[in-house]
Amino acid sequence: MFRTALRNVLSHKARLLMTVLAVLLGVAFVSGTLVFTDTLSHAFRNESAKNYSDVAVAVTSYSDSDNPKEAPGVSTKTLDRIRGLDGVASATGRVSGFAGVADHQGKLIGDGWSNKGGNFSPGAGGKDGQYAFTDGSGPVRDGQIALDRDTADKGGYHVGDTVRVATNGPVREYTLAGIFTTDDGAVGAGGSLVLFDTAVTQKLYLKPGWYEDVNIAATPGTSQAKLLSEVKPLLPKNADAQTGKQVADKQAKQIEREMSGLSQMLLGFAAVALFVGIFLISNTFTMLVAQRTKELALLRAVGASRKQVTRSVLAEALVVGTVASVVGFGLGIGLAVGLRSAMGSFGAKVPGGPLIVSPSTALIALLVGVLITMLAAWLPARRAAKIPPVAAMGSAHLPATTKSLVVRNSIGAVITLAGAAVIVAGASAGSSGRMMIGAGAFLALIGVIVLIPLLSRPVIALVRPLLTGVFGVSGKLAGQNAVRNPRRTGATASALAIGLTLVTGLSVIGVTVGQSVDRMTTDNFKGDYMVEMANGMSLTPSTVTALEKAKGVTAVSPQGGTQIVIDGSDESVSSVKPGDIQQVLNLPVVSGSLDSLARGQIAVEQKTAEKNGWKPGSKVSAKYLDDKKGSLTVGAVFKENQFVSSVLAPTSVLAPHEKTQDITQIYVKTDGGSGSGEQALVDAMGGNPAISVLGRQDIRNAMGGMINTTLNIMYGLLAMALIIAVLGVVNTLAMSVFERQQEIGMLRAIGLDRAKVKRMIRLEAVVISLFGAVVGIALGTFLAWAVGQTIKSDIPHYVLVMPWGRIGIFLVLAAFVGVLASLWPARSAARLNMLTAIKTE
């Protein structure tokens, strides 16, 4: 029986090639994900270990802004004492902070969050072991800097050039003394690294004579643990020390956690691709069993048992799954290499290192491919075993019995209704119902897949008059053929339905949230610009003063955030400028007047006011961050605005209780409108590259850009599932052509020309593809509605939006999939010899 199975594999190469492709793609995704994440994890762990290879003990200090009298870090005196310990080869003090480099156009180079400045700390030989200089040398005096190679290349800078650098103070110009390479994580994350002389760095970021961190190298033979025990007693209370190995191990664990999230996401899409592939594999083996009806019946007639026939089909699946897994594993390794290169092209710097292909990855890839293939082939194998010996005397293809279809439809209906009920219950539960929606979605998807053969008849019947009216005989035959075998049509449509369920659900949620964010910007923001630090830090009051003096500016309202205990409950409070805040933000007043802010009163958002029973004129107690107490008066109640907190207070009321004014954003109104006054604002702030000036469209893009990027990534990952679905349509049409050889021969004999035969097959493919698309779009929209109900309370202006344009594109693509998949089967059908086909049994 095994030899028979092997012979059958080799005699149906074209059919099995599509199955191999389906398994191959899924296995490639799984193995590629595992190899990719293992390689990245290994590279980052090695980099982390390398960075601490010469560090025996690492000292880190923690500043406390609430206790200014506390030492800001590790003093030079303490550093000298550490250097004097037995077993210490060297001790290097480090200081770091934000530093943004401007290019020749004044724009910030790199991502603001990872733009970093640090100190150049040369040893006895005048070199700092942490940096390898390729040009020039390190900065040794005020007015000099060094840049990492990537930043210098991006900015077009060379040794001797003048470079503008923004730190926590005003923008300054420095002379570029050197260019270096480094494994620093800031550069790896797409940022920049600027090195200053140590004295300059301490003055910029800490305090002269003090360091944030200290890296200690040991002499040969000195134990890290022993050195740690001697260093700890010398440290201030706000500093801690660990061995270099402990720090490296801690970073390695953090890297594994970060890689785990990426791996789980990619494996989730691989699972979708494999799930879709199951339908293709099952269809393929169903097709092969149908083609071998007489052969299998003869085997039964000459003594083969049902188990032997089942094992024969499963043996074919084993061979196909093994071949596909091996090839898919090889393709996955190539995919991992490609992903690694792609990260570099997107600006992410990946540490060098070997490709990690572990035995466990190879085993997982093999098991996944083989088990998925055999699982999908199990039902066709069972059907093959049920072929009676008497079938050898006829040409029956064993259509499903009425009883089996009734049982299937009943089960499908129950599962679908149960899934829908759980989804609706989850949607009604709000934010706590997301897990319920996930479980219901799984049930509903399974139920629809089981039920889809029943749905095919009434849905396709709706378009049959259109097919007949437009395409005549070809259209009529295509509509009849599409529902001739509901099981096979349903299985094929299911593959497309699964992919489009996910794509549609993501699109509806993404577009809805995006438009909600857009409406939030349009409805709530009346200003022309929003000014903020690129690294998320606070702006200085001097920036507000500079903007107020800028040409064309009519209103400037800085916003700071703080916490106040009001009437015993913690409230988030926005510090605003009375008068100007009304010009830059839309704050519809429910009661009272926002003019009361100028009199030292507060304004409260409507929900907060209703919850606490406050109204204009209400006196409330206040406890500030400095623990001082006072009394405030509610002067206005306004509708919710996402640009401010639930309580507004004038800056003059909050400033006396704050050590430093925390300004997160500055809203600006100009007489020329958004887009015309940006340069005037930039010039007014001294051309500081670390300060971002965002127009109204920039604000929309910043808020909605992440949503669009996420959607595009999801579409790309789900494309694999749709490719497998195309292969499924090809298989179904090929099976349909095989079953109808006599019919096609007769049609050709009575005058249906080759062009009309091709059109018939193409229309059949389009009908099946569109049927799957309609089911997927309907289910995806339902799931998007349910998910939307759980997030609407967190997103103002949330209204479900149907992206009809995208849905239209999905339908067009589904039709294109049908046309593409029909090319080979239609050509085969048109080329059938009518006489040979007529006498085929």
Side-chain angles (χ1 to χ4, degrees):
M1 294 300 291
F2 181 76
R3 285 200 300 271
T4 302
L6 189 60
R7 178 183 61 79
N8 287 323
V9 169
L10 297 175
S11 63
H12 298 95
K13 299 182 185 68
R15 299 278 193 274
L16 292 171
L17 176 61
M18 288 181 284
T19 302
V20 168
L21 283 173
V23 181
L24 179 152
L25 289 172
V27 170
F29 212 149
V30 172
S31 56
T33 296
L34 295 175
V35 171
F36 175 63
T37 52
D38 286 348
T39 299
L40 281 190
S41 297
H42 183 267
F44 282 118
R45 282 197 302 269
N46 278 358
E47 182 186 35
S48 175
K50 180 182 176 182
N51 289 340
Y52 290 95
S53 60
D54 296 328
V55 177
V57 176
V59 177
T60 303
S61 65
Y62 307 94
S63 62
D64 186 358
S65 58
D66 294 332
N67 189 4
K69 294 182 179 180
E70 189 176 77
V74 178
S75 66
T76 302
K77 182 179 179 181
T78 301
L79 182 60
D80 290 338
R81 292 177 65 188
I82 292 173
R83 287 171 175 159
L85 292 174
D86 291 337
V88 173
S90 65
T92 306
R94 298 291 181 191
V95 187
S96 63
F98 168 76
V101 181
D103 62 16
H104 291 295
Q105 286 73 44
K107 300 295 184 181
L108 183 68
I109 298 175
D111 182 6
W113 288 97
S114 51
N115 290 337
K116 179 181 172 184
N119 65 308
F120 174 68
S121 183
K127 294 183 178 180
D128 189 331
Q130 195 165 338
Y131 310 105
F133 280 82
T134 58
D135 294 299
S137 59
V140 293
R141 59 180 173 81
D142 192 5
Q144 289 185 335
I145 61 166
L147 289 178
D148 67 273
R149 168 58 65 187
D150 290 347
T151 301
D153 290 343
K154 290 174 184 176
Y157 289 120
H158 304 280
V159 172
D161 288 350
T162 299
V163 183
R164 298 179 71 249
V165 180
T167 55
N168 296 337
V171 180
R172 280 193 57 188
E173 292 186 344
Y174 296 85
T175 300
L176 183 59
I179 298 172
F180 58 89
T181 59
T182 178
D183 293 327
D184 191 282
V187 179
S192 61
L193 178 59
V194 183
L195 295 183
F196 304 91
D197 174 62
T198 295
V200 174
T201 315
Q202 290 174 330
K203 185 178 179 181
L204 283 173
Y205 300 125
L206 204 60
K207 188 177 180 181
W210 293 84
Y211 299 90
E212 288 177 331
D213 306 318
V214 178
N215 292 335
I216 304 168
T219 56
T222 301
S223 165
Q224 289 189 359
K226 177 178 178 298
L227 193 58
L228 178 66
S229 65
E230 294 177 353
V231 169
K232 275 192 170 182
L234 304 179
L235 301 178
K237 292 180 181 179
N238 65 325
D240 189 21
Q242 291 179 298
T243 65
K245 185 177 184 307
Q246 288 174 332
V247 176
D249 290 345
K250 185 178 180 180
Q251 287 195 1
K253 289 180 180 177
Q254 182 179 353
I255 290 167
E256 285 184 4
R257 286 196 297 269
E258 292 173 354
M259 289 297 105
S260 175
L262 175 63
S263 177
Q264 288 174 6
M265 183 188 74
L266 293 175
L267 287 174
F269 286 100
V272 172
L274 287 168
F275 187 52
V276 172
I278 287 176
F279 296 97
L280 171 56
I281 299 165
S282 180
N283 259 5
T284 300
F285 280 95
T286 298
M287 185 187 312
L288 296 177
V289 168
Q291 289 178 334
R292 293 160 49 205
T293 298
K294 295 181 69 174
E295 175 191 326
L296 294 173
L298 284 171
L299 287 174
R300 290 294 315 282
V302 298
S305 66
R306 287 189 173 187
K307 289 184 178 180
Q308 285 179 312
V309 172
T310 301
R311 285 197 295 265
S312 173
V313 177
L314 291 178
E316 293 181 47
L318 176 63
V319 173
V320 171
T322 303
V323 171
S325 298
V326 172
V327 178
F329 179 63
L331 184 62
I333 294 175
L335 180 63
V337 173
L339 285 172
R340 186 173 178 177
S341 300
M343 287 188 68
S345 65
F346 283 116
K349 192 171 181 180
V350 181
L355 198 68
I356 305 300
V357 184
S358 65
S360 61
T361 298
L363 182 61
I364 289 172
L366 184 65
L367 287 176
V368 165
V370 171
L371 290 178
I372 288 293
T373 308
M374 295 188 69
L375 175 65
W378 180 67
L379 280 176
R382 284 193 63 204
R383 294 194 197 105
K386 292 180 179 180
I387 295 176
V390 72
M393 301 176 64
S395 58
H397 293 302
L398 298 177
T401 63
T402 303
K403 179 181 178 182
S404 68
L405 289 174
V406 169
V407 171
R408 173 177 178 144
N409 294 335
S410 301
I411 294 173
V414 170
I415 296 175
T416 302
L417 290 174
V422 173
I423 291 171
V424 172
S428 303
S431 58
S432 61
R434 290 167 193 165
M435 293 297 291
M436 291 176 64
I437 291 175
F442 179 75
L443 284 175
L445 195 59
I446 296 297
V448 168
I449 289 169
V450 175
L451 198 61
I452 207 166
L454 176 66
L455 296 175
S456 64
R457 291 185 181 277
V459 173
I460 294 177
L462 293 175
V463 298
R464 280 170 64 180
L466 178 64
L467 291 173
T468 303
V470 176
F471 300 102
V473 175
S474 297
K476 181 177 182 180
L477 292 171
Q480 292 174 342
N481 293 332
V483 293
R484 174 172 293 187
N485 191 325
R487 282 179 182 265
R488 193 173 60 242
T489 297
T492 305
S494 295
L496 278 169
I498 293 168
L500 281 172
T501 294
L502 298 175
V503 170
T504 303
L506 289 169
S507 297
V508 173
I509 287 292
V511 171
T512 298
V513 173
Q515 290 201 15
S516 297
V517 170
D518 191 63
R519 280 196 299 271
M520 181 182 75
T521 305
T522 303
D523 296 346
N524 293 342
F525 188 66
K526 294 196 301 184
D528 298 313
Y529 298 97
M530 181 173 73
V531 178
E532 61 184 10
M533 289 291 289
N535 63 348
M537 296 173 65
S538 296
L539 293 155
T540 61
S542 62
T543 306
V544 180
T545 304
L547 289 171
E548 289 173 336
K549 297 177 180 178
K551 182 181 178 180
V553 171
T554 58
V556 175
S557 181
Q559 178 181 308
T562 187
Q563 291 289 126
I564 297 180
V565 178
I566 302 178
D567 275 359
S569 62
D570 285 332
E571 297 291 346
S572 179
V573 181
S574 287
S575 170
V576 299
K577 182 180 179 181
D580 285 13
I581 187 66
Q582 296 98 307
Q583 296 184 54
V584 295
L585 294 182
N586 185 24
L587 299 167
V589 176
V590 177
S591 57
S593 172
L594 290 176
D595 293 338
S596 61
L597 290 169
R599 299 192 295 272
Q601 298 180 355
I602 62 173
V604 183
E605 186 267 325
Q606 185 177 11
K607 292 180 182 177
T608 303
E610 291 174 352
K611 182 183 72 173
N612 292 283
W614 298 335
K615 57 185 179 180
S618 298
K619 299 286 186 179
V620 295
S621 63
K623 181 180 179 182
Y624 301 96
L625 288 178
D626 60 357
D627 290 334
K628 291 184 179 180
K629 298 180 180 179
S631 176
L632 293 170
T633 302
V634 176
V637 175
F638 64 93
K639 291 184 179 180
E640 183 180 23
N641 186 305
Q642 293 303 302
F643 285 85
V644 292
S645 301
S646 57
V647 178
L648 305 182
T651 302
S652 58
V653 171
L654 300 176
H657 304 283
E658 298 175 334
K659 296 184 179 72
T660 58
Q661 191 175 351
D662 181 24
I663 302 174
T664 53
Q665 290 95 20
I666 303 173
Y667 304 128
V668 181
K669 183 78 172 176
T670 63
D671 53 15
S674 182
S676 61
E678 179 178 348
Q679 192 58 48
L681 301 184
V682 172
D683 293 341
M685 295 182 292
N688 192 330
I691 300 179
S692 299
V693 179
L694 305 177
R696 294 174 66 87
Q697 189 58 48
D698 295 324
I699 297 172
R700 290 194 187 104
N701 294 341
M703 292 183 171
M706 182 65 70
I707 297 170
N708 292 328
T709 301
T710 303
L711 279 178
N712 291 333
I713 292 173
M714 298 298 184
Y715 290 158
L717 293 172
L718 287 170
M720 183 177 294
L722 296 178
I723 291 172
I724 296 173
V726 172
L727 299 177
V729 178
V730 174
N731 255 8
T732 294
L733 293 175
M735 178 63 180
S736 179
V737 170
F738 166 74
E739 286 184 351
R740 290 156 35 209
Q741 288 187 61
Q742 281 188 323
E743 175 189 318
I744 293 171
M746 288 295 296
L747 291 171
R748 293 277 289 112
I750 62 175
L752 194 68
D753 59 28
R754 290 185 175 182
K756 291 181 179 179
V757 170
K758 287 183 179 180
R759 187 183 303 149
M760 175 182 71
I761 302 298
R762 281 198 296 268
L763 288 173
E764 182 180 347
V766 170
V767 167
I768 293 173
S769 298
L770 288 176
F771 168 57
V774 169
V775 172
I777 289 170
L779 186 55
T781 302
F782 177 53
L783 292 176
W785 166 82
V787 172
Q789 295 301 302
T790 67
I791 63 175
K792 63 185 298 185
S793 60
D794 302 322
I795 302 177
H797 310 284
Y798 183 93
V799 178
L800 189 70
V801 177
M802 289 298 295
W804 296 112
R806 297 193 189 192
I807 289 175
I809 291 173
F810 297 158
L811 291 172
V812 170
L813 287 175
F816 177 73
V817 163
V819 172
L820 184 66
S822 68
L823 293 178
W824 174 51
R827 184 169 178 269
S828 299
R831 294 180 64 186
L832 281 175
N833 184 294
M834 65 182 74
L835 294 178
T836 304
I838 289 172
K839 66 180 183 179
T840 298
E841 292 188 0

